[in-house]
């Protein structure tokens, strides 16, 4: 929120018939509402109109307001899909002859006065009229109270579930193409690769199921944050949310790509079409990697939006290849090696070496794209420690450095020494610690993506 008219705490001593809000960045016009309340009752107004074509400023034509204390409540969604809401208060001391009666009632939807007062789709219009007369400002530049339901514990938990599912789905084809296909070239490890590939199918379907849970949860939370659940579900409201917003289109992409991924993994298990199934699953996770960018901060970057989305998608893809494949190594690779006897330690060592080469490239991608993505949102170095977003980003980086340090230890110390009886146990211990810190990174990321950027 950049400013409101009147400002929060103002006392207006002249005729006032327009209330407006201005956001520092463009917001979604179709999901922007502005409601005015006097003594707890909603003041009727014809529509919320968009003042500028860029979607920064919106106005509510209330007609001459009677003297009294008012609360203006606003709600909107940014280009990144994050729902913001807030309120500001002001006092009108003028009593124009044409003012609205104090006992004016709202004729529609008494069960939901907020929605009844002003919930129409905003349209381009003219700038709001200035207040003609004296205004006493209680606090210059104040915009009242604002908040986001995206930072609630339930919303954070649902995003964490989605990130876990995403890294799991990326890790499945990455481990198959980057690790199992490599070790299968050696006849000594062919049986291990076949057993591990079978296990990947179960992990893949579990990750896809988790993605479906995240889809349902995210949709319900987003609809609730926008007030759609209060107004009742309808085809029009769903169309407006899913097809009329960037967040909705990203949600649709997640749904389609998740179904395509699951279908590909089912084809893999069929008698024919194994190669096509794996290719389909691999293509699906590339699409899935773009979903956080399309529904996150990258989508709100102006002028170079495409570059920001690409950097964010590569960041996610790199993290999935690195950490998702490591999870697959522990979950299916090691058990597959020891399930058939033979040179189990040798098979684990072969998988670890193949994984390390792939993980080095993936981790480097995560580091480079992470820096690029951060630069899109930082204007000054002080933004890192002077804003909540910056401090949480530093926390994420600190934990990620710990993950990278454990990964480097595995690469330089554990993997070269593998082949003996204790090699697999050492790899499991260090890799579990690495994944534990990675899960914490995902939790911090689930908080970070909901915070406003500097």
């Amino acid at each position: 929120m950049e400013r409101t008219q009147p400002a929060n705490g103002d006392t207006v001593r002249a005729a006032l018939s327009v209330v407006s809000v201005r956001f520092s960045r463009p917001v979604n016009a179709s999901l922007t509402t502005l409601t005015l309340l006097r003594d707890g009752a909603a003041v009727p107004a014809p529509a919320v109109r968009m003042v500028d074509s860029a979607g920064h400023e919106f106005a509510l034509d209330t007609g001459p307001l009677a003297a009294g204390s008012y609360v203006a409540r606003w709600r909107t969604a940014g280009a990144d899909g994050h729902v913001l809401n807030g309120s500001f208060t002001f006092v009108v001391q003028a009593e124009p002859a044409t003012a609205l009666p104090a006992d004016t009632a709202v004729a529609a939807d008494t069960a939901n006065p907020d929605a009844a007062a002003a919930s129409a789709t905003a349209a381009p219009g003219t700038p709001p009229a200035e207040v003609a007369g004296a205004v006493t400002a209680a606090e210059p530049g104040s915009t009242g109270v604002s908040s986001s339901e995206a930072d609630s514990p339930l919303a954070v938990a649902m995003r964490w579930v989605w990130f876990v599912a995403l890294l799991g789905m990326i890790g499945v084809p990455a481990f198959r193409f980057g690790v199992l296909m490599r070790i299968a070239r050696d006849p000594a490890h062919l049986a291990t690769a076949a057993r591990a590939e079978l296990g990947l199918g179960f992990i893949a379907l579990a990750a896809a199921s988790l993605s479906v849970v995240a889809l349902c949860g995210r949709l319900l939370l987003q609809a609730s944050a926008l007030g759609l659940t209060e107004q009742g579900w309808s085809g029009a409201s769903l169309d407006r949310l899913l097809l009329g917003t960037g967040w909705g289109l990203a949600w649709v992409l997640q749904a389609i790509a998740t179904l395509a991924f699951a279908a590909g993994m089912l084809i893999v298990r069929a008698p024919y079409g194994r190669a096509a199934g794996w290719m389909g699953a691999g293509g699906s996770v590339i699409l899935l990697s773009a979903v956080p960018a399309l529904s996150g901060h990258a989508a709100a970057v102006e002028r170079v939006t495409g570059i920001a989305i690409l950097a964010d998608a590569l960041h996610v893809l790199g993290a999935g290849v690195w950490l998702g494949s490591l999870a697959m190594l522990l979950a299916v690779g090691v058990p597959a090696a020891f399930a058939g006897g033979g040179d189990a330690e040798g098979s684990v060592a072969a998988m670890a070496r193949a994984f390390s080469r792939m993980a080095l490239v993936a981790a480097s991608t995560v580091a480079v794209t992470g820096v690029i993505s951060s630069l899109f949102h930082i204007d000054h170095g002080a933004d890192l420690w002077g804003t909540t977003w910056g401090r949480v980003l530093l926390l994420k980086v600190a934990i990620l450095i710990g993950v990278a340090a454990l990964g480097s230890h595995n690469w330089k110390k554990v993997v070269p020494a593998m082949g003996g009886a204790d090699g697999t146990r050492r790899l499991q211990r260090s890799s579990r610690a690495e994944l534990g810190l990675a899960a914490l990174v995902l939790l911090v990321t689930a908080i970070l993506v909901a915070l406003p950027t500097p």
Side-chain angles (χ1 to χ4, degrees), residues 116-146:
S119 59
T121 299
T126 56
E130 295 182 357
V131 177
V135 176
T136 302
E139 183 180 346
S142 175
T143 58
V145 179
S146 61

Side-chain angles (χ1 to χ4, degrees), residues 5 11 15-16 25 31 73-74 80 89 119 121 140 145 157 177 204-205 234 254 272 288 320 397 421 449:
Q5 177 66 28
T11 298
L16 178 66
R25 295 180 180 178
L31 297 176
R73 295 177 180 171
W74 56 267
D80 55 6
T89 62
S119 59
T121 299
V145 179
F177 288 113
L205 294 179
S234 67
Q254 179 188 344
Y272 303 99
L288 285 167
V397 171
V449 297

Side-chain angles (χ1 to χ4, degrees), residues 48-78:
V48 178
R49 57 182 171 89
M50 186 166 63
V51 175
D52 63 336
S53 59
H56 286 88
E57 189 167 357
F58 298 82
L60 186 67
D61 297 310
T62 61
L65 294 176
S69 298
Y70 291 86
V71 177
R73 295 177 180 171
W74 56 267
R75 178 163 53 198
T76 190

Side-chain angles (χ1 to χ4, degrees), residues 375-431:
L375 291 177
F376 285 123
H377 308 294
I378 297 175
D379 294 324
H380 310 284
D383 290 337
L384 288 174
W385 55 84
T387 64
T388 302
W389 182 88
R391 290 189 291 270
V392 175
L393 176 63
L394 290 176
L395 175 61
K396 175 185 175 179
V397 171
I399 302 173
L400 195 56
I401 289 174
V403 179
L406 285 171
S408 178
H409 172 73
N410 287 339
W411 173 44
K412 294 182 177 181
K413 301 292 185 181
V414 177
V415 174
M418 290 190 67
D422 192 47
T424 298
R425 285 194 293 271
R426 291 182 60 196
L427 178 67
Q428 288 175 310
R429 284 195 299 268
S430 58
S431 297

Side-chain angles (χ1 to χ4, degrees), residues 237-318:
S237 63
L238 280 177
D239 284 346
R240 186 158 52 113
L241 175 59
L242 296 181
L243 302 180
T245 68
W247 182 94
L249 293 175
W251 187 94
V252 172
L253 176 61
Q254 179 188 344
I256 294 173
T258 298
L259 291 176
F261 174 80
M265 294 308 302
L266 290 175
I267 293 173
V268 165
R269 301 173 67 88
Y272 303 99
R274 179 165 160 265
W278 276 114
M279 292 300 294
S284 298
V285 300
I286 293 176
L287 294 177
L288 285 167
S289 299
V291 171
L294 293 172
S295 59
H297 290 143
V301 173
E302 299 182 39
R303 294 185 295 277
V304 288
T305 309
I307 298 176
I309 290 175
L310 178 61
D312 208 47
L314 290 175
H315 185 74
V316 172
L317 187 61

Side-chain angles (χ1 to χ4, degrees), residues 19-100:
V19 177
S20 66
V21 294
R22 181 174 178 83
F23 302 96
S24 58
R25 295 180 180 178
V27 297
N28 193 300
S30 66
L31 297 176
T32 299
T33 61
L34 181 59
T35 301
L36 189 62
L37 299 146
R38 180 177 183 272
D39 298 328
V43 176
V48 178
R49 57 182 171 89
M50 186 166 63
V51 175
D52 63 336
S53 59
H56 286 88
E57 189 167 357
F58 298 82
L60 186 67
D61 297 310
T62 61
L65 294 176
S69 298
Y70 291 86
V71 177
R73 295 177 180 171
W74 56 267
R75 178 163 53 198
T76 190
D80 55 6
H82 294 149
V83 179
L84 299 172
N85 56 74
S87 64
F88 59 97
T89 62
F90 60 91
V91 175
V92 175
Q93 289 189 347
E95 189 72 62
T98 57
L100 294 173

